[in-house]
Amino acid sequence: MFKRILIANRGEIALRVLRACREMEIETVAVYSTADADALHVQMATQSVCIGPPRAAESYLDQAALLTVAKATGCDAIHPGYGFLSENADFADACAREGLKFIGPSGDTIRMAGSKAAACARMKAAGVPTVPGSDGPVADADAALEIAERVGYPVLLKASAGGGGRGIRRVDSPEALPAAFQEASAEAAACFGDGTMYLEKFVTDPRHIEFQILADSQGSTIHLYDRDCSVQRRNQKLIEEAPARCLTPELRREMGAAAVRAAKAVGYENAGTVEFLLAGDGKFYFCEMNTRIQVEHGVTELVTGVDLVRQQIRIAAGLPLGLRQEDVTLTGHAIECRVNAEDPAAGFRPCPGMASFVHFPGGTGVRVDSALYTGYTMPPYYDSLAAKLLVHAPTRLEAIRRMRRALEELTIEGFATNAELSHLILHHPDYIRGACTTAFLEQHLQELVDWNRRAEESEGAQ
Ligand code: ADP
Ligand code: ADP
Ligand code: MG
């Protein structure tokens, strides 16, 4: 087993990894930018090293600095968390060259999955259903027009290197395509340093259903069932749950098998996620593969009892899963709300600042993953996730009630969050019925925001 792990990340995920390490009696080295000197991960690690100024490019993304620190502090492995370098194939390769174990799949696997266009083509070849589309990169707007004509509008232009919901454009007609192509490609080039685009038919009102995968170095690959992440804004997840209520046992078996097939098709090793779109007619399509621990991994941990970060570390150390597919069982229902420092009434504008008072809910079946504390100032340089609130209960309805209660108890003063919006969503009949598709939030946002404003006004009038 590893003796000392460098955690190349910050925020709640750095704490999550630290906690797993501590339970496994592995020492930790935290890294931080000058903007994070008072961050919790810096205090909780065995040892902490400042690696640069606030800008991520000069700190958390500085590969040479990370490798130097890892070697100087005697680490034998690096955990990348999510975001930052977690899906950077060159970094995974560089770690291997320096004799440091990258806790994740190989550089080649990351490279394959990270090119979403190539991954779709590979999946199709492996018999995993994919959305009709370009099956690979599209060279230019003319090529895109031709493919769109064949699959039919509306279509989605997607950045091959995209992530975090960026670089995606819906196109409804051939007239709108050339401009959308240039725009999306330019955005992708700016965000991801790669303007390569591919094209998919737009699946109307799908659900986002994903499967958690674990694969060890001995060739054993299993899935840990599904999560429904359909409540999204701007193609980004807001509320996730496990298991997905809409799956019949038969469909769950079929999609689980497809997810394992997808992982095997790229020689997957470590924890990963296969994302699918599930259409209203019950057909499902491969969407993308995420080669890292995911933000919403906690809901799977709650319903399966498997510690996914611990498994990541064990797998990277060469240990077998110690878990067969038939050993994985689902108990109860789990929901996660991402509490972001952002203002839903102002287009979800990020608004991090000083948390003048913080109180987290507790009690039976409640888990909070957060790096926030009273008096802490969230730096503006990184993402706006302030806390993840998770609940676990015997049934979905009880989980919904528990999450409402947890959100009511949560107090973050000092900046706006989306907690109130999530609380409202948990009262919406569509959510309660389990009828939300990825179109739900965009369709009901105004209604929910107005609802909230009226509630606040009547409260103020009393
Ligand atoms: P998940 O699929 O785990 O829900 P998200 O899409 O919410 O993940 O992204 C998790 C984090 O990783 C976010 O901070 C997001 O900004 C970041 N991220 C995801 N993909 C990329 C990427 N390709 N490049 C840079 N950051 C990314
Ligand atoms: P990212 O890497 O940014 O997470 P994804 O490929 O996972 O990108 O897509 C993000 C979201 O966009 C999905 O969860 C889904 O809501 C929506 N989406 C992606 N592809 C399609 C499609 N072909 N039709 C409809 N919606 C889609
Ligand atoms: Mg995705």
Side-chain angles (χ1 to χ4, degrees):
M1 185 40 71
F2 304 119
K3 208 170 134 280
R4 194 172 297 141
I5 294 178
L6 181 130
I7 300 166
N9 216 298
R10 62 178 303 284
E12 69 87 17
I13 194 62
L15 299 189
R16 172 69 189 87
V17 176
L18 271 162
R19 288 173 175 139
C21 289
R22 190 168 281 189
E23 288 178 12
M24 296 173 83
E25 299 181 320
I26 298 169
E27 291 179 356
T28 49
V29 175
V31 293
Y32 63 100
S33 74
T34 51
D36 274 339
D38 53 1
L40 275 185
H41 73 282
V42 177
Q43 294 169 37
M44 272 175 57
T46 317
Q47 191 181 338
S48 298
V49 181
C50 182
I51 46 161
R55 270 173 31 88
E58 296 166 57
S59 49
Y60 297 104
L61 292 172
D62 184 338
Q63 301 188 25
L66 291 163
L67 294 170
T68 302
V69 171
K71 284 189 291 183
T73 54
C75 288
D76 36 19
I78 297 189
H79 196 301
Y82 56 67
F84 296 125
L85 293 170
S86 61
E87 292 174 287
N88 188 307
D90 295 338
F91 184 61
D93 286 343
C95 288
R97 271 200 308 276
E98 300 289 340
L100 292 157
K101 184 70 190 170
F102 177 83
I103 302 178
S106 70
D108 287 342
T109 302
I110 297 175
R111 208 167 276 118
M112 156 59 58
S115 162
K116 292 160 76 173
C120 284
R122 173 78 72 101
M123 291 308 155
K124 197 175 175 186
V128 179
T130 53
V131 186
S134 57
D135 295 328
V138 272
D140 51 30
D142 284 340
L145 275 168
E146 218 167 276
I147 297 156
E149 207 55 53
R150 180 162 54 76
V151 301
Y153 290 89
V155 296
L156 270 194
L157 291 170
K158 298 174 72 174
S160 187
R166 280 163 303 174
I168 300 178
R169 287 281 187 296
R170 177 183 163 154
V171 181
D172 291 308
S173 70
E175 293 73 42
L177 195 142
F181 189 94
Q182 301 316 335
E183 230 180 76
S185 180
E187 180 180 317
C191 283
F192 311 112
D194 177 359
T196 308
M197 300 300 295
Y198 69 113
L199 183 149
E200 282 180 355
K201 183 160 180 64
F202 178 79
V203 182
T204 309
D205 280 6
R207 291 174 197 260
H208 174 115
I209 307 289
E210 57 184 36
F211 276 73
Q212 176 69 50
I213 293 293
L214 283 178
D216 67 19
S217 57
Q218 273 106 72
S220 160
T221 304
I222 62 170
H223 70 77
L224 284 87
Y225 293 96
D226 42 284
R227 299 184 280 259
D228 186 329
C229 313
S230 299
V231 179
Q232 303 182 348
R233 45 113 171 83
R234 301 195 177 146
N235 302 315
Q236 284 180 321
K237 301 158 187 167
L238 210 58
I239 301 179
E240 301 105 338
E241 58 183 272
R245 181 193 148 94
C246 57
L247 297 186
T248 60
E250 196 187 353
L251 192 51
R252 174 166 286 123
R253 246 193 324 274
E254 213 185 310
M255 291 177 78
V260 168
R261 212 156 57 236
K264 285 185 171 162
V266 293
Y268 206 83
E269 187 185 313
N270 215 287
T273 298
V274 182
E275 298 189 337
F276 294 106
L277 298 174
L278 175 62
D281 61 6
K283 288 209 178 82
F284 66 89
Y285 307 95
F286 172 81
C287 180
E288 67 156 342
M289 185 155 189
N290 288 322
T291 54
R292 54 174 160 87
I293 191 78
Q294 229 153 333
V295 175
E296 61 275 20
H297 72 279
V299 289
T300 298
E301 296 186 320
L302 290 173
V303 293
T304 61
V306 176
D307 182 329
L308 291 170
V309 176
R310 185 187 183 95
Q311 284 291 349
Q312 283 192 296
I313 296 169
R314 285 176 46 93
I315 291 168
L319 295 172
L321 277 181
L323 198 68
R324 292 162 306 173
Q325 187 65 62
E326 56 269 32
D327 299 328
V328 183
T329 52
L330 296 174
T331 306
H333 201 89
I335 303 177
E336 169 177 281
C337 287
R338 299 192 191 192
V339 179
N340 301 317
E342 66 186 13
D343 184 358
F348 295 99
R349 182 176 46 84
C351 53
M354 207 265 271
S356 51
F357 182 72
V358 178
H359 167 76
F360 289 136
T364 306
V366 176
R367 164 174 161 183
V368 181
D369 280 16
S370 172
L372 208 62
Y373 59 84
T374 295
Y376 176 69
T377 300
M378 275 184 80
Y381 309 100
Y382 315 110
D383 79 34
S384 57
L385 185 67
K388 302 190 307 200
L389 224 55
L390 298 99
V391 299
H392 186 214
T395 66
R396 184 170 184 272
L397 192 57
E398 286 167 281
I400 290 175
R401 293 206 186 103
R402 183 159 282 163
M403 182 56 92
R404 290 176 186 164
R405 184 273 282 177
L407 282 163
E408 283 156 18
E409 196 180 330
L410 172 76
T411 311
I412 299 176
E413 284 168 14
F415 50 81
T417 75
N418 60 338
E420 199 62 44
L421 174 69
S422 293
H423 189 247
L424 288 168
I425 294 171
L426 288 159
H427 286 82
H428 197 284
D430 288 359
Y431 186 82
I432 296 165
R433 283 192 295 130
C436 292
T437 69
T438 58
F440 165 80
L441 190 51
E442 306 280 345
Q443 275 166 10
H444 294 278
L445 184 60
Q446 199 52 49
E447 170 196 334
L448 291 165
V449 167
D450 289 345
W451 192 1
N452 190 37
R453 188 172 38 78
R454 280 197 301 276
E456 277 174 2
E457 279 166 9
S458 71
E459 211 170 66
Q462 275 165 18

